[in-house]
Amino acid sequence: MARIAFLLLAHKDPDAVVAQAERLTATGDHVAIHFDASAPKGTFRRIHAALRDNPGVAFARRVRCGWGEWSLVQATLNACEAALEAFPGATHFYMLSGDCMPIKSARYARAFLDREDADLIESFDYFESDWIKTGFKEERLVYRHWFNERTQKRRFYAAFALQRRLGITRAVPADLRMMIGSQWWCLRRATLERVMAFRARRPDVMRFFRTTWIPDETFFQTLVRHLVREEEIRPRTPTFLMFSDYGMPVTFYNDQYDLLLSQDFLFARKISPEAMDLKARLGDLWAEERTDFPLSDEGRRLHAFLTSRGRVGRRFAPRFWEREATLGRGRELLLVTCKKWHVAKRLTARIREEAGLPCIDYLFDEEATPLPDLGGIETTLEKRQRHRRAVLRMLFERHGTDRLVICLDPARLDLMQDFQDDRCVTRLLEMECAFTDDYLAGHARRVGLAGEATADETIGRLLPTIRQEIADEGDRIRDAGFAHLHRLRETATDAGNAAELAAFLRCGEDVAGRIVDTRYLFED
């Protein structure tokens, strides 16, 4: 059966470190502790005094740690050395922080590791994956980073700017495929021994990573993938963690005990220091014999649900666009969707004239759409799209109406579905046009698929794809199951189109007839 040596990296709260070590060793596992050398000496002495007689605890050689620095990897390597030497019976080595707590029992965790018989470590291609969302990517590797971005910001960026200006870059070690992932992993003993041996025989690789930015997300991830067969790697972390929209770790509180237990992970990070009840319950859980944990794995979806609506007593206070997040019962939103924007605009111009309804043309697609002053929320497409319902609610109020017509590009199915889910009544009118090759060629140039100098032969190869994409957008709209969907067709009779438009506008067929009788309605 698996025997776990936990590699515990901590820098604060000595009482919590002691409690965590005692809890984990009480069930027969081991702990190698690295406590940041930047912490006061007296703090570490308290930990050492409390645990020095515990045979399941080892202490790693301490280094001063800084976020994003090589020092975090060095601290981990020191903990690995201590654990490998002190615990010859350990089969797995599990990275933990002082903020982690178990969300399963020790018995469950051992059975899980026995069943997997693999290394659990996120390991995704550095350049091809989208693991890095913002900030430096290639720059982390090809430039040397000697300073800490948080504590020596001016030096960090000055050194970076100087290297970039002088064109001083370096190559990634030729035999390594760079990988990236979470620093919270669990490796088998044989794998960790291979990593330590590789470290000893490849000083060139060690020099490379020592000046890499945030190497704790690349060092072990790259070496494990280099040293272990792919089928023996599970590219996942065994620790449940989430990040907010701001890139900060999500903190868990007392009322999230059941949510944490239902996740398909062994530990969770990070638990609030004030969540004493949650810590106590999870601490007791580790020692239980329980192995029945129904897994729903809905944590990330539930968190997104809660933070999008505001959570009582937490940091997420409702914003004005959340308080006004519905267009309102009794209101009617009329959506006109057409790939030929000029055709839709002709229709809405005639609707204004004949039906007297306010119409806004492509406000979520076209920056220059005329809009009244809405307090600044209307100034950019990004703001309009982000606060779409607030924008429409204010437009309803500005026009003093309960019925509003807007135009949307057929590609904006997400907006159509969002409005369909609102409490108001949403009606959708799809305008189906014929597309000549000349029109599609012009469309390709307008959207940047082709330029004025693009050869006719090249454009000719693009046309079938563009035509099919437009057809697919229409199919997706019709497959979405909108409750009130109507269609005007360029190939239909005026009588047929008038009937569809009358149903869409809920107006008389004489009014609808005058609108569709516009002779140039579908012309290019």
PDB file of all heavy atoms in Angstrom, residues 473-507:
ATOM      1  N   GLU A 473     -23.883  29.201 -39.390  1.00  0.00           N
ATOM      2  CA  GLU A 473     -24.416  30.135 -38.394  1.00  0.00           C
ATOM      3  C   GLU A 473     -25.936  30.088 -38.384  1.00  0.00           C
ATOM      4  O   GLU A 473     -26.558  30.091 -37.307  1.00  0.00           O
ATOM      5  CB  GLU A 473     -23.924  31.552 -38.697  1.00  0.00           C
ATOM      6  CG  GLU A 473     -22.454  31.768 -38.418  1.00  0.00           C
ATOM      7  CD  GLU A 473     -21.950  33.138 -38.822  1.00  0.00           C
ATOM      8  OE1 GLU A 473     -22.737  33.894 -39.449  1.00  0.00           O
ATOM      9  OE2 GLU A 473     -20.791  33.462 -38.530  1.00  0.00           O
ATOM     10  N   GLY A 474     -26.542  30.026 -39.570  1.00  0.00           N
ATOM     11  CA  GLY A 474     -27.995  29.911 -39.634  1.00  0.00           C
ATOM     12  C   GLY A 474     -28.490  28.612 -39.032  1.00  0.00           C
ATOM     13  O   GLY A 474     -29.511  28.593 -38.320  1.00  0.00           O
ATOM     14  N   ASP A 475     -27.775  27.526 -39.296  1.00  0.00           N
ATOM     15  CA  ASP A 475     -28.175  26.229 -38.733  1.00  0.00           C
ATOM     16  C   ASP A 475     -28.102  26.248 -37.211  1.00  0.00           C
ATOM     17  O   ASP A 475     -28.981  25.694 -36.537  1.00  0.00           O
ATOM     18  CB  ASP A 475     -27.267  25.116 -39.281  1.00  0.00           C
ATOM     19  CG  ASP A 475     -27.541  24.807 -40.747  1.00  0.00           C
ATOM     20  OD1 ASP A 475     -28.633  25.177 -41.236  1.00  0.00           O
ATOM     21  OD2 ASP A 475     -26.665  24.206 -41.402  1.00  0.00           O
ATOM     22  N   ARG A 476     -27.058  26.870 -36.678  1.00  0.00           N
ATOM     23  CA  ARG A 476     -26.918  26.915 -35.217  1.00  0.00           C
ATOM     24  C   ARG A 476     -28.058  27.703 -34.583  1.00  0.00           C
ATOM     25  O   ARG A 476     -28.548  27.355 -33.499  1.00  0.00           O
ATOM     26  CB  ARG A 476     -25.561  27.510 -34.835  1.00  0.00           C
ATOM     27  CG  ARG A 476     -24.385  26.569 -35.090  1.00  0.00           C
ATOM     28  CD  ARG A 476     -23.106  27.079 -34.424  1.00  0.00           C
ATOM     29  NE  ARG A 476     -22.552  28.235 -35.098  1.00  0.00           N
ATOM     30  CZ  ARG A 476     -21.674  28.178 -36.083  1.00  0.00           C
ATOM     31  NH1 ARG A 476     -21.254  27.000 -36.524  1.00  0.00           N
ATOM     32  NH2 ARG A 476     -21.187  29.278 -36.629  1.00  0.00           N
ATOM     33  N   ILE A 477     -28.477  28.774 -35.252  1.00  0.00           N
ATOM     34  CA  ILE A 477     -29.602  29.554 -34.729  1.00  0.00           C
ATOM     35  C   ILE A 477     -30.868  28.710 -34.733  1.00  0.00           C
ATOM     36  O   ILE A 477     -31.611  28.667 -33.746  1.00  0.00           O
ATOM     37  CB  ILE A 477     -29.791  30.834 -35.568  1.00  0.00           C
ATOM     38  CG1 ILE A 477     -28.637  31.810 -35.315  1.00  0.00           C
ATOM     39  CG2 ILE A 477     -31.134  31.500 -35.261  1.00  0.00           C
ATOM     40  CD1 ILE A 477     -28.624  33.007 -36.234  1.00  0.00           C
ATOM     41  N   ARG A 478     -31.098  28.007 -35.828  1.00  0.00           N
ATOM     42  CA  ARG A 478     -32.327  27.214 -35.916  1.00  0.00           C
ATOM     43  C   ARG A 478     -32.296  25.997 -34.992  1.00  0.00           C
ATOM     44  O   ARG A 478     -33.347  25.528 -34.554  1.00  0.00           O
ATOM     45  CB  ARG A 478     -32.550  26.782 -37.372  1.00  0.00           C
ATOM     46  CG  ARG A 478     -32.930  27.969 -38.270  1.00  0.00           C
ATOM     47  CD  ARG A 478     -33.284  27.545 -39.672  1.00  0.00           C
ATOM     48  NE  ARG A 478     -32.123  27.217 -40.483  1.00  0.00           N
ATOM     49  CZ  ARG A 478     -31.383  28.117 -41.119  1.00  0.00           C
ATOM     50  NH1 ARG A 478     -31.654  29.412 -41.004  1.00  0.00           N
ATOM     51  NH2 ARG A 478     -30.346  27.751 -41.840  1.00  0.00           N
ATOM     52  N   ASP A 479     -31.096  25.507 -34.666  1.00  0.00           N
ATOM     53  CA  ASP A 479     -30.991  24.350 -33.769  1.00  0.00           C
ATOM     54  C   ASP A 479     -31.054  24.739 -32.292  1.00  0.00           C
ATOM     55  O   ASP A 479     -31.136  23.859 -31.428  1.00  0.00           O
ATOM     56  CB  ASP A 479     -29.666  23.608 -34.019  1.00  0.00           C
ATOM     57  CG  ASP A 479     -29.631  22.912 -35.372  1.00  0.00           C
ATOM     58  OD1 ASP A 479     -30.718  22.691 -35.948  1.00  0.00           O
ATOM     59  OD2 ASP A 479     -28.522  22.607 -35.849  1.00  0.00           O
ATOM     60  N   ALA A 480     -30.975  26.041 -32.003  1.00  0.00           N
ATOM     61  CA  ALA A 480     -30.892  26.482 -30.611  1.00  0.00           C
ATOM     62  C   ALA A 480     -32.230  26.412 -29.883  1.00  0.00           C
ATOM     63  O   ALA A 480     -32.282  26.536 -28.662  1.00  0.00           O
ATOM     64  CB  ALA A 480     -30.347  27.912 -30.548  1.00  0.00           C
ATOM     65  N   GLY A 481     -33.321  26.247 -30.612  1.00  0.00           N
ATOM     66  CA  GLY A 481     -34.626  26.072 -29.981  1.00  0.00           C
ATOM     67  C   GLY A 481     -35.235  27.336 -29.414  1.00  0.00           C
ATOM     68  O   GLY A 481     -35.847  27.310 -28.335  1.00  0.00           O
ATOM     69  N   PHE A 482     -35.098  28.472 -30.114  1.00  0.00           N
ATOM     70  CA  PHE A 482     -35.700  29.714 -29.643  1.00  0.00           C
ATOM     71  C   PHE A 482     -37.222  29.614 -29.684  1.00  0.00           C
ATOM     72  O   PHE A 482     -37.800  29.086 -30.628  1.00  0.00           O
ATOM     73  CB  PHE A 482     -35.231  30.888 -30.491  1.00  0.00           C
ATOM     74  CG  PHE A 482     -33.768  31.203 -30.315  1.00  0.00           C
ATOM     75  CD1 PHE A 482     -32.864  30.885 -31.304  1.00  0.00           C
ATOM     76  CD2 PHE A 482     -33.305  31.803 -29.151  1.00  0.00           C
ATOM     77  CE1 PHE A 482     -31.517  31.164 -31.149  1.00  0.00           C
ATOM     78  CE2 PHE A 482     -31.968  32.095 -28.985  1.00  0.00           C
ATOM     79  CZ  PHE A 482     -31.061  31.762 -29.987  1.00  0.00           C
ATOM     80  N   ALA A 483     -37.841  30.144 -28.639  1.00  0.00           N
ATOM     81  CA  ALA A 483     -39.299  30.023 -28.510  1.00  0.00           C
ATOM     82  C   ALA A 483     -40.038  30.782 -29.602  1.00  0.00           C
ATOM     83  O   ALA A 483     -41.093  30.345 -30.079  1.00  0.00           O
ATOM     84  CB  ALA A 483     -39.734  30.524 -27.135  1.00  0.00           C
ATOM     85  N   HIS A 484     -39.518  31.938 -30.010  1.00  0.00           N
ATOM     86  CA  HIS A 484     -40.190  32.770 -31.008  1.00  0.00           C
ATOM     87  C   HIS A 484     -39.193  33.082 -32.126  1.00  0.00           C
ATOM     88  O   HIS A 484     -38.515  34.111 -32.100  1.00  0.00           O
ATOM     89  CB  HIS A 484     -40.701  34.072 -30.381  1.00  0.00           C
ATOM     90  CG  HIS A 484     -41.588  33.862 -29.188  1.00  0.00           C
ATOM     91  ND1 HIS A 484     -42.887  33.409 -29.295  1.00  0.00           N
ATOM     92  CD2 HIS A 484     -41.340  34.021 -27.857  1.00  0.00           C
ATOM     93  CE1 HIS A 484     -43.410  33.315 -28.090  1.00  0.00           C
ATOM     94  NE2 HIS A 484     -42.505  33.672 -27.202  1.00  0.00           N
ATOM     95  N   LEU A 485     -39.112  32.204 -33.113  1.00  0.00           N
ATOM     96  CA  LEU A 485     -38.172  32.369 -34.221  1.00  0.00           C
ATOM     97  C   LEU A 485     -38.949  32.551 -35.518  1.00  0.00           C
ATOM     98  O   LEU A 485     -39.815  31.736 -35.864  1.00  0.00           O
ATOM     99  CB  LEU A 485     -37.251  31.151 -34.339  1.00  0.00           C
ATOM    100  CG  LEU A 485     -36.276  31.150 -35.522  1.00  0.00           C
ATOM    101  CD1 LEU A 485     -35.333  32.343 -35.445  1.00  0.00           C
ATOM    102  CD2 LEU A 485     -35.493  29.839 -35.568  1.00  0.00           C
ATOM    103  N   HIS A 486     -38.616  33.628 -36.229  1.00  0.00           N
ATOM    104  CA  HIS A 486     -39.263  33.924 -37.508  1.00  0.00           C
ATOM    105  C   HIS A 486     -38.177  34.158 -38.551  1.00  0.00           C
ATOM    106  O   HIS A 486     -37.035  34.491 -38.227  1.00  0.00           O
ATOM    107  CB  HIS A 486     -40.155  35.168 -37.369  1.00  0.00           C
ATOM    108  CG  HIS A 486     -41.117  35.077 -36.224  1.00  0.00           C
ATOM    109  ND1 HIS A 486     -42.351  34.483 -36.329  1.00  0.00           N
ATOM    110  CD2 HIS A 486     -41.006  35.491 -34.928  1.00  0.00           C
ATOM    111  CE1 HIS A 486     -42.967  34.538 -35.162  1.00  0.00           C
ATOM    112  NE2 HIS A 486     -42.178  35.157 -34.297  1.00  0.00           N
ATOM    113  N   ARG A 487     -38.570  33.999 -39.839  1.00  0.00           N
ATOM    114  CA  ARG A 487     -37.568  34.132 -40.906  1.00  0.00           C
ATOM    115  C   ARG A 487     -38.131  34.908 -42.091  1.00  0.00           C
ATOM    116  O   ARG A 487     -39.258  34.642 -42.536  1.00  0.00           O
ATOM    117  CB  ARG A 487     -37.109  32.751 -41.384  1.00  0.00           C
ATOM    118  CG  ARG A 487     -36.367  31.950 -40.332  1.00  0.00           C
ATOM    119  CD  ARG A 487     -36.156  30.516 -40.783  1.00  0.00           C
ATOM    120  NE  ARG A 487     -35.136  30.441 -41.832  1.00  0.00           N
ATOM    121  CZ  ARG A 487     -34.932  29.352 -42.559  1.00  0.00           C
ATOM    122  NH1 ARG A 487     -35.685  28.276 -42.388  1.00  0.00           N
ATOM    123  NH2 ARG A 487     -33.969  29.348 -43.465  1.00  0.00           N
ATOM    124  N   LEU A 488     -37.338  35.865 -42.554  1.00  0.00           N
ATOM    125  CA  LEU A 488     -37.606  36.513 -43.838  1.00  0.00           C
ATOM    126  C   LEU A 488     -36.592  35.960 -44.841  1.00  0.00           C
ATOM    127  O   LEU A 488     -35.389  35.952 -44.562  1.00  0.00           O
ATOM    128  CB  LEU A 488     -37.429  38.033 -43.744  1.00  0.00           C
ATOM    129  CG  LEU A 488     -38.382  38.827 -42.850  1.00  0.00           C
ATOM    130  CD1 LEU A 488     -38.176  40.322 -43.089  1.00  0.00           C
ATOM    131  CD2 LEU A 488     -39.827  38.447 -43.107  1.00  0.00           C
ATOM    132  N   ARG A 489     -37.092  35.514 -45.997  1.00  0.00           N
ATOM    133  CA  ARG A 489     -36.212  34.937 -47.019  1.00  0.00           C
ATOM    134  C   ARG A 489     -36.212  35.812 -48.266  1.00  0.00           C
ATOM    135  O   ARG A 489     -37.274  36.246 -48.732  1.00  0.00           O
ATOM    136  CB  ARG A 489     -36.681  33.530 -47.391  1.00  0.00           C
ATOM    137  CG  ARG A 489     -36.657  32.528 -46.246  1.00  0.00           C
ATOM    138  CD  ARG A 489     -37.236  31.185 -46.736  1.00  0.00           C
ATOM    139  NE  ARG A 489     -37.171  30.164 -45.713  1.00  0.00           N
ATOM    140  CZ  ARG A 489     -38.095  29.974 -44.788  1.00  0.00           C
ATOM    141  NH1 ARG A 489     -39.159  30.770 -44.758  1.00  0.00           N
ATOM    142  NH2 ARG A 489     -37.956  29.020 -43.896  1.00  0.00           N
ATOM    143  N   GLU A 490     -35.051  36.025 -48.815  1.00  0.00           N
ATOM    144  CA  GLU A 490     -34.958  36.787 -50.054  1.00  0.00           C
ATOM    145  C   GLU A 490     -35.706  36.098 -51.178  1.00  0.00           C
ATOM    146  O   GLU A 490     -36.251  36.746 -52.071  1.00  0.00           O
ATOM    147  CB  GLU A 490     -33.488  36.980 -50.435  1.00  0.00           C
ATOM    148  CG  GLU A 490     -33.275  37.869 -51.648  1.00  0.00           C
ATOM    149  CD  GLU A 490     -31.829  38.207 -51.892  1.00  0.00           C
ATOM    150  OE1 GLU A 490     -30.971  37.828 -51.044  1.00  0.00           O
ATOM    151  OE2 GLU A 490     -31.532  38.864 -52.919  1.00  0.00           O
ATOM    152  N   THR A 491     -35.794  34.778 -51.121  1.00  0.00           N
ATOM    153  CA  THR A 491     -36.437  34.003 -52.180  1.00  0.00           C
ATOM    154  C   THR A 491     -37.933  33.789 -51.943  1.00  0.00           C
ATOM    155  O   THR A 491     -38.612  33.225 -52.800  1.00  0.00           O
ATOM    156  CB  THR A 491     -35.751  32.637 -52.312  1.00  0.00           C
ATOM    157  OG1 THR A 491     -35.788  31.957 -51.043  1.00  0.00           O
ATOM    158  CG2 THR A 491     -34.303  32.795 -52.751  1.00  0.00           C
ATOM    159  N   ALA A 492     -38.455  34.226 -50.794  1.00  0.00           N
ATOM    160  CA  ALA A 492     -39.869  34.011 -50.490  1.00  0.00           C
ATOM    161  C   ALA A 492     -40.736  35.079 -51.146  1.00  0.00           C
ATOM    162  O   ALA A 492     -40.261  36.128 -51.594  1.00  0.00           O
ATOM    163  CB  ALA A 492     -40.079  34.010 -48.977  1.00  0.00           C
ATOM    164  N   THR A 493     -42.036  34.828 -51.179  1.00  0.00           N
ATOM    165  CA  THR A 493     -42.971  35.816 -51.720  1.00  0.00           C
ATOM    166  C   THR A 493     -43.176  36.947 -50.712  1.00  0.00           C
ATOM    167  O   THR A 493     -42.949  36.772 -49.505  1.00  0.00           O
ATOM    168  CB  THR A 493     -44.326  35.169 -52.014  1.00  0.00           C
ATOM    169  OG1 THR A 493     -44.892  34.711 -50.780  1.00  0.00           O
ATOM    170  CG2 THR A 493     -44.173  33.993 -52.977  1.00  0.00           C
ATOM    171  N   ASP A 494     -43.622  38.087 -51.212  1.00  0.00           N
ATOM    172  CA  ASP A 494     -43.912  39.202 -50.312  1.00  0.00           C
ATOM    173  C   ASP A 494     -44.977  38.820 -49.296  1.00  0.00           C
ATOM    174  O   ASP A 494     -44.922  39.226 -48.131  1.00  0.00           O
ATOM    175  CB  ASP A 494     -44.345  40.423 -51.101  1.00  0.00           C
ATOM    176  CG  ASP A 494     -43.195  41.107 -51.802  1.00  0.00           C
ATOM    177  OD1 ASP A 494     -42.032  40.723 -51.551  1.00  0.00           O
ATOM    178  OD2 ASP A 494     -43.454  42.036 -52.601  1.00  0.00           O
ATOM    179  N   ALA A 495     -45.973  38.050 -49.744  1.00  0.00           N
ATOM    180  CA  ALA A 495     -47.047  37.657 -48.829  1.00  0.00           C
ATOM    181  C   ALA A 495     -46.499  36.786 -47.702  1.00  0.00           C
ATOM    182  O   ALA A 495     -46.872  36.942 -46.523  1.00  0.00           O
ATOM    183  CB  ALA A 495     -48.137  36.908 -49.601  1.00  0.00           C
ATOM    184  N   GLY A 496     -45.621  35.832 -48.057  1.00  0.00           N
ATOM    185  CA  GLY A 496     -45.033  34.968 -47.029  1.00  0.00           C
ATOM    186  C   GLY A 496     -44.176  35.752 -46.053  1.00  0.00           C
ATOM    187  O   GLY A 496     -44.256  35.546 -44.827  1.00  0.00           O
ATOM    188  N   ASN A 497     -43.366  36.658 -46.574  1.00  0.00           N
ATOM    189  CA  ASN A 497     -42.532  37.472 -45.689  1.00  0.00           C
ATOM    190  C   ASN A 497     -43.359  38.412 -44.828  1.00  0.00           C
ATOM    191  O   ASN A 497     -43.038  38.658 -43.655  1.00  0.00           O
ATOM    192  CB  ASN A 497     -41.520  38.270 -46.514  1.00  0.00           C
ATOM    193  CG  ASN A 497     -40.326  37.429 -46.950  1.00  0.00           C
ATOM    194  OD1 ASN A 497     -40.032  36.399 -46.348  1.00  0.00           O
ATOM    195  ND2 ASN A 497     -39.648  37.871 -48.000  1.00  0.00           N
ATOM    196  N   ALA A 498     -44.441  38.937 -45.389  1.00  0.00           N
ATOM    197  CA  ALA A 498     -45.302  39.834 -44.613  1.00  0.00           C
ATOM    198  C   ALA A 498     -45.928  39.105 -43.442  1.00  0.00           C
ATOM    199  O   ALA A 498     -46.040  39.652 -42.326  1.00  0.00           O
ATOM    200  CB  ALA A 498     -46.379  40.438 -45.513  1.00  0.00           C
ATOM    201  N   ALA A 499     -46.350  37.867 -43.659  1.00  0.00           N
ATOM    202  CA  ALA A 499     -46.943  37.075 -42.568  1.00  0.00           C
ATOM    203  C   ALA A 499     -45.924  36.819 -41.462  1.00  0.00           C
ATOM    204  O   ALA A 499     -46.242  36.920 -40.260  1.00  0.00           O
ATOM    205  CB  ALA A 499     -47.472  35.748 -43.124  1.00  0.00           C
ATOM    206  N   GLU A 500     -44.674  36.495 -41.850  1.00  0.00           N
ATOM    207  CA  GLU A 500     -43.621  36.255 -40.847  1.00  0.00           C
ATOM    208  C   GLU A 500     -43.318  37.537 -40.073  1.00  0.00           C
ATOM    209  O   GLU A 500     -43.172  37.518 -38.845  1.00  0.00           O
ATOM    210  CB  GLU A 500     -42.349  35.751 -41.535  1.00  0.00           C
ATOM    211  CG  GLU A 500     -42.410  34.314 -41.992  1.00  0.00           C
ATOM    212  CD  GLU A 500     -42.338  33.344 -40.826  1.00  0.00           C
ATOM    213  OE1 GLU A 500     -41.495  33.533 -39.923  1.00  0.00           O
ATOM    214  OE2 GLU A 500     -43.128  32.377 -40.810  1.00  0.00           O
ATOM    215  N   LEU A 501     -43.223  38.666 -40.787  1.00  0.00           N
ATOM    216  CA  LEU A 501     -42.884  39.918 -40.128  1.00  0.00           C
ATOM    217  C   LEU A 501     -44.018  40.381 -39.217  1.00  0.00           C
ATOM    218  O   LEU A 501     -43.770  40.916 -38.126  1.00  0.00           O
ATOM    219  CB  LEU A 501     -42.571  40.987 -41.176  1.00  0.00           C
ATOM    220  CG  LEU A 501     -42.087  42.332 -40.640  1.00  0.00           C
ATOM    221  CD1 LEU A 501     -40.778  42.159 -39.862  1.00  0.00           C
ATOM    222  CD2 LEU A 501     -41.902  43.347 -41.772  1.00  0.00           C
ATOM    223  N   ALA A 502     -45.251  40.156 -39.637  1.00  0.00           N
ATOM    224  CA  ALA A 502     -46.397  40.538 -38.800  1.00  0.00           C
ATOM    225  C   ALA A 502     -46.379  39.749 -37.492  1.00  0.00           C
ATOM    226  O   ALA A 502     -46.675  40.297 -36.411  1.00  0.00           O
ATOM    227  CB  ALA A 502     -47.697  40.308 -39.561  1.00  0.00           C
ATOM    228  N   ALA A 503     -46.035  38.463 -37.571  1.00  0.00           N
ATOM    229  CA  ALA A 503     -45.969  37.643 -36.359  1.00  0.00           C
ATOM    230  C   ALA A 503     -44.820  38.097 -35.463  1.00  0.00           C
ATOM    231  O   ALA A 503     -44.944  38.111 -34.229  1.00  0.00           O
ATOM    232  CB  ALA A 503     -45.796  36.174 -36.747  1.00  0.00           C
ATOM    233  N   PHE A 504     -43.703  38.470 -36.069  1.00  0.00           N
ATOM    234  CA  PHE A 504     -42.534  38.919 -35.300  1.00  0.00           C
ATOM    235  C   PHE A 504     -42.832  40.248 -34.597  1.00  0.00           C
ATOM    236  O   PHE A 504     -42.549  40.418 -33.398  1.00  0.00           O
ATOM    237  CB  PHE A 504     -41.341  39.060 -36.245  1.00  0.00           C
ATOM    238  CG  PHE A 504     -40.144  39.730 -35.651  1.00  0.00           C
ATOM    239  CD1 PHE A 504     -39.386  39.107 -34.676  1.00  0.00           C
ATOM    240  CD2 PHE A 504     -39.751  41.000 -36.074  1.00  0.00           C
ATOM    241  CE1 PHE A 504     -38.264  39.725 -34.120  1.00  0.00           C
ATOM    242  CE2 PHE A 504     -38.639  41.623 -35.536  1.00  0.00           C
ATOM    243  CZ  PHE A 504     -37.897  40.998 -34.558  1.00  0.00           C
ATOM    244  N   LEU A 505     -43.406  41.193 -35.332  1.00  0.00           N
ATOM    245  CA  LEU A 505     -43.674  42.518 -34.766  1.00  0.00           C
ATOM    246  C   LEU A 505     -44.978  42.581 -33.993  1.00  0.00           C
ATOM    247  O   LEU A 505     -45.235  43.557 -33.275  1.00  0.00           O
ATOM    248  CB  LEU A 505     -43.707  43.566 -35.882  1.00  0.00           C
ATOM    249  CG  LEU A 505     -42.405  43.828 -36.645  1.00  0.00           C
ATOM    250  CD1 LEU A 505     -42.656  44.814 -37.781  1.00  0.00           C
ATOM    251  CD2 LEU A 505     -41.315  44.357 -35.708  1.00  0.00           C
ATOM    252  N   ARG A 506     -45.814  41.557 -34.151  1.00  0.00           N
ATOM    253  CA  ARG A 506     -47.182  41.567 -33.606  1.00  0.00           C
ATOM    254  C   ARG A 506     -47.918  42.825 -34.079  1.00  0.00           C
ATOM    255  O   ARG A 506     -48.452  43.603 -33.300  1.00  0.00           O
ATOM    256  CB  ARG A 506     -47.169  41.479 -32.084  1.00  0.00           C
ATOM    257  CG  ARG A 506     -46.672  40.160 -31.554  1.00  0.00           C
ATOM    258  CD  ARG A 506     -46.969  39.935 -30.084  1.00  0.00           C
ATOM    259  NE  ARG A 506     -46.352  40.920 -29.221  1.00  0.00           N
ATOM    260  CZ  ARG A 506     -47.015  41.835 -28.516  1.00  0.00           C
ATOM    261  NH1 ARG A 506     -48.340  41.901 -28.605  1.00  0.00           N
ATOM    262  NH2 ARG A 506     -46.373  42.679 -27.748  1.00  0.00           N
ATOM    263  N   CYS A 507     -47.921  42.995 -35.398  1.00  0.00           N
ATOM    264  CA  CYS A 507     -48.597  44.136 -36.018  1.00  0.00           C
ATOM    265  C   CYS A 507     -49.521  43.612 -37.116  1.00  0.00           C
ATOM    266  O   CYS A 507     -49.506  42.421 -37.452  1.00  0.00           O
ATOM    267  CB  CYS A 507     -47.578  45.116 -36.601  1.00  0.00           C
ATOM    268  SG  CYS A 507     -46.670  44.470 -38.018  1.00  0.00           S
TER     269      CYS A 507
END
